[in-house]
């Protein structure tokens, strides 16, 4: 056995702090030290808060904005509508910056990334501080870093780095003695463990497991018998066994979905056609970016289930004669489906398109009966469409059925500019 194989595995989790709110602050230095909140689709509920906003105890996550708006503004809170384009671009910058610090990286979510640190012969606390400084300098985002001998322990270390100021944003559990580690775990409630939610926390409490140390000391076999194999794996990971490996390849998608609630009630078929066309085009572009073809198109339209009006939420699916990623073909199928389920005299609040039966683009058999648009000319058209929209801005080129006015578009009254993705919205120095 080589010396490399004998090394104990080490993982790091780098996590951006209050990611959405931090993205908004990067290009607004005047907001430093001010409370910021980010709202959900149609400016509905609070979905992200800066640390200053979290300190205002009367502001709670997931509260409807209209309920707290008056008080929040009185307290100096600055609201922002969700700016998904900006957040995606900032996430890409964050992940690219992290890539230089480890030979292996797993992008876990939009603001979290696991890094393999096995064999890195450095003081990990110092290395974590270097990662923090570099990310802050290169992207403007504040982050915390946690190190552990398993991904579960790295996730727990990140929690300590974020919630306990004495760690100064970097927590290395691998440098602690067993006694020091257990003293920390004893102070942490069991729901701080990755994958332990409220329901499981309540079940564990019935058998006396109320903190992380007790879960760590639990008999894995008895845990498996009572709670299942997933929690048994968690117990073993808390004891330093590596059962959850790095996933460097993104799992292949099973569906591609595009949907949004409308900013205003929609009554006319024409407006619904525009929305469905937009979602069909958006889903088709995502499909091409993944190198996939779709075998079926699914659409849905609905009004609000919480309204006094009778709920109407039909959906419909059509199988395509052959797999495709062509926007025009998918859009045609989606509009055909819409006419089958549209009912006049009803207002609609949401619509969406899902592409299903996804298969890799490579190796597909050519269709012989003339339906397939996977011709060199068609492929060149789609490549040109994507290239222009990527170079300028999303929607610079689109199918005519998407319309121009978009009266149904999502309400975003507090949206910030897309500083990193639109030439027309670049930041200006005064």
């Amino acid at each position: 056995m080589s010396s490399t194989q004998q090394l104990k595995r080490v993982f790091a989790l780098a996590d951006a702090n209050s990611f959405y709110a931090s993205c908004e602050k990067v290009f607004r230095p005047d907001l430093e030290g001010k409370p910021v909140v980010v709202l959900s689709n149609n400016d509905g509920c609070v979905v992200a808060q800066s640390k200053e906003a979290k300190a205002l105890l009367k502001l709670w996550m997931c509260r409807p904005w209209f309920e707290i708006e008056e008080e929040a503004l009185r307290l100096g809170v600055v609201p922002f509508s969700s700016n998904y384009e900006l957040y995606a671009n900032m996430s890409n910058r964050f992940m690219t910056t992290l890539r230089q610090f480890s030979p292996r990286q797993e992008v876990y979510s939009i603001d979290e990334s696991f890094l393999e640190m096995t064999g890195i012969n450095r003081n990990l606390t110092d290395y974590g501080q270097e990662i923090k400084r570099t990310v802050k300098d290169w992207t403007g985002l504040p982050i915390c870093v946690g190190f552990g001998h398993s991904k579960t322990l790295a996730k727990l270390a990140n929690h300590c780095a974020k919630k306990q100021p004495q760690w100064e944003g970097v927590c290395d559990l691998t440098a602690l003695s067993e006694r020091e580690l257990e003293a920390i775990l004893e102070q942490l409630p069991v729901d701080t463990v990755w994958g332990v939610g409220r329901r499981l926390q309540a079940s564990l409490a019935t058998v006396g497991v109320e903190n992380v140390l007790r879960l760590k000391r639990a008999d894995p076999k008895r845990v498996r018998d009572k709670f299942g194999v997933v929690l048994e794996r968690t117990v073993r990971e808390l004891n330093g066994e590596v059962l959850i490996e790095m996933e460097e390849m993104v799992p292949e998608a099973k569906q591609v979905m595009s949907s949004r609630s409308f900013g205003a009630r929609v009554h006319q078929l024409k407006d619904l056609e525009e929305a469905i066309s937009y979602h069909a085009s958006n889903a088709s572009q995502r499909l091409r970016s993944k190198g996939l073809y779709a075998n079926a198109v699914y659409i849905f339209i609905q009004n609000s289930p919480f309204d006094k009006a009778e709920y109407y939420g039909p959906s419909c699916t059509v199988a395509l004669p052959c797999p495709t990623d062509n926007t025009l073909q998918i859009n045609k199928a989606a509009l055909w489906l819409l006419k089958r389920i549209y009912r006049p005299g009803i207002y609609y609040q949401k619509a969406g398109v899902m592409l299903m039966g996804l298969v890799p683009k490579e190796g597909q058999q050519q269709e012989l009966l003339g339906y397939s648009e996977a011709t060199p000319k068609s492929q060149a058209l789609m490549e040109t469409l994507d290239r222009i929209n990527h170079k300028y801005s999303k929607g610079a080129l689109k199918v005519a059925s998407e319309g121009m006015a978009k009266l149904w578009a999502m309400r975003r009254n507090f949206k910030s500019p897309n500083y990193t993705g639109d030439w027309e919205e670049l930041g200006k120095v005064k």
Side-chain angles (χ1 to χ4, degrees):
M1 182 179 292
S2 69
S3 58
T4 302
Q5 290 174 314
Q6 293 172 350
L7 290 173
K8 192 158 187 179
R9 300 283 294 280
V10 179
F11 302 87
L13 178 66
D15 179 15
N17 302 337
S18 304
F19 180 67
Y20 286 1
S22 294
C23 288
E24 299 291 355
K25 285 190 170 189
V26 167
F27 299 94
R28 290 282 304 276
D30 59 305
L31 296 179
E32 187 65 33
K34 294 184 179 180
V36 167
V37 298
V38 178
L39 308 177
S40 63
N41 294 345
N42 293 310
D43 297 338
C45 301
V46 175
V47 294
Q49 305 174 90
S50 68
K51 63 180 181 181
E52 297 85 3
K54 292 175 183 176
L56 301 174
L57 297 181
K58 293 183 180 180
L59 286 179
W60 297 97
M61 285 285 286
C62 302
R63 285 281 299 277
W65 176 242
F66 75 88
E67 290 184 2
I68 62 174
E69 179 178 10
E70 183 177 348
E71 182 181 10
L73 296 179
R74 180 179 62 81
L75 293 171
V77 173
V78 181
F80 285 94
S81 303
S82 294
N83 189 342
Y84 300 112
E85 300 87 355
L86 174 64
Y87 307 151
N89 290 337
M90 292 300 292
S91 176
N92 290 336
R93 293 184 178 194
F94 174 36
M95 300 308 169
T96 301
T97 303
L98 290 177
R99 202 161 290 141
Q100 66 178 301
F101 293 101
S102 170
R104 300 182 67 197
Q105 178 186 31
E106 175 190 338
V107 178
Y108 181 64
S109 69
I110 192 171
D111 63 345
E112 293 179 278
S113 181
F114 285 104
L115 302 170
E116 174 89 47
M117 292 294 175
T118 308
I120 293 180
N121 190 22
R122 287 192 55 177
N123 180 294
L124 292 180
T125 297
D126 293 342
Y127 199 44
Q129 291 294 345
E130 181 182 334
I131 295 172
K132 269 191 65 181
R133 287 192 301 271
T134 304
V135 171
K136 181 67 174 177
D137 290 344
W138 291 15
T139 70
L141 296 172
I143 72 166
C144 289
V145 184
F147 297 92
H149 284 305
S150 67
K151 287 170 72 174
T152 299
L153 285 170
K155 187 92 169 170
L156 203 61
N158 185 276
H159 173 85
C160 294
K162 185 173 290 190
K163 301 295 184 181
Q164 300 174 6
Q166 69 268 26
W167 293 104
E168 297 181 343
V170 177
C171 176
D172 178 17
L173 295 183
T174 70
L176 303 180
S177 67
E178 188 66 19
R179 179 175 295 181
E180 290 172 328
L181 175 60
E182 291 191 348
I184 291 173
L185 299 186
E186 190 173 18
Q187 301 302 314
L188 297 175
V190 72
D191 66 336
T192 57
V193 175
W194 188 20
V196 177
R198 290 184 180 179
R199 294 177 65 179
L200 186 53
Q201 178 190 20
S203 299
L204 288 168
T206 63
V207 293
V209 178
E210 297 179 344
N211 60 52
V212 180
L213 179 59
R214 290 197 173 188
L215 183 61
K216 178 179 182 291
R217 290 177 172 176
D219 181 350
K221 186 178 184 305
R222 295 183 65 183
V223 168
R224 177 172 183 163
D225 292 342
K226 187 169 181 63
F227 297 101
V229 68
V230 174
L231 191 60
E232 179 205 11
R233 182 177 62 181
T234 298
V235 172
R236 294 187 182 278
E237 284 251 319
L238 287 173
N239 284 278
E241 294 184 48
V242 179
L243 300 178
I244 307 175
E245 270 294 349
M246 297 282 288
E247 295 183 8
E248 298 175 81
M249 298 296 294
V250 178
E252 188 172 294
K254 297 182 179 179
Q255 302 99 17
V256 172
M257 179 90 171
S258 178
S259 70
R260 282 286 184 273
S261 297
F262 300 143
R265 293 184 173 187
V266 170
H267 297 82
Q268 302 300 320
L269 176 61
K270 179 180 179 298
D271 294 326
L272 272 179
E273 287 176 334
E274 290 183 1
I276 289 295
S277 289
Y278 168 81
H279 290 307
S281 297
N282 192 35
S284 300
Q285 188 279 324
R286 293 182 190 175
L287 193 70
R288 291 192 293 274
S289 71
K290 298 175 184 293
L292 298 172
Y293 279 162
N295 274 291
V297 178
Y298 162 95
I299 79 161
F300 74 89
I301 54 177
Q302 66 178 61
N303 56 9
S304 173
F306 307 107
D307 203 294
K308 293 181 180 179
E310 179 184 357
Y311 176 68
Y312 182 64
S315 61
C316 197
T317 304
V318 63
L320 300 170
C322 65
T324 185
D325 65 357
N326 186 283
T327 295
L328 302 178
Q329 192 172 357
I330 290 170
N331 186 57
K332 183 177 180 181
L335 291 177
W336 180 80
L337 289 171
L338 175 62
K339 291 177 181 178
R340 290 176 61 88
I341 62 176
Y342 169 75
R343 182 189 297 176
I346 295 177
Y347 81 87
Y348 296 91
Q349 195 68 38
K350 188 175 183 180
V353 174
M354 181 187 293
L355 306 182
M356 305 186 301
L358 307 189
V359 294
K361 180 177 179 179
E362 300 299 328
Q364 292 300 312
Q365 183 174 350
Q366 294 298 308
E367 198 266 335
L368 301 177
L369 300 179
Y371 180 83
S372 175
E373 296 189 24
T375 62
K377 184 177 180 180
S378 171
Q379 292 297 311
L381 176 62
M382 293 299 104
E383 289 171 6
T384 302
L385 176 69
D386 292 339
R387 186 166 58 250
I388 291 175
N389 284 335
H390 177 75
K391 182 176 181 179
Y392 294 99
S393 64
K394 186 176 180 180
L397 281 183
K398 57 189 176 184
V399 296
S401 54
E402 289 185 43
M404 298 296 291
K406 293 187 177 179
L407 301 177
W408 48 269
M410 184 169 60
R411 183 171 62 252
R412 293 198 279 185
N413 295 331
F414 309 106
K415 180 181 175 296
S416 59
N418 183 10
Y419 300 102
T420 60
D422 191 328
W423 289 108
E424 301 298 324
E425 298 184 12
L426 292 178
K428 297 178 177 61
V429 178
K430 296 182 179 179

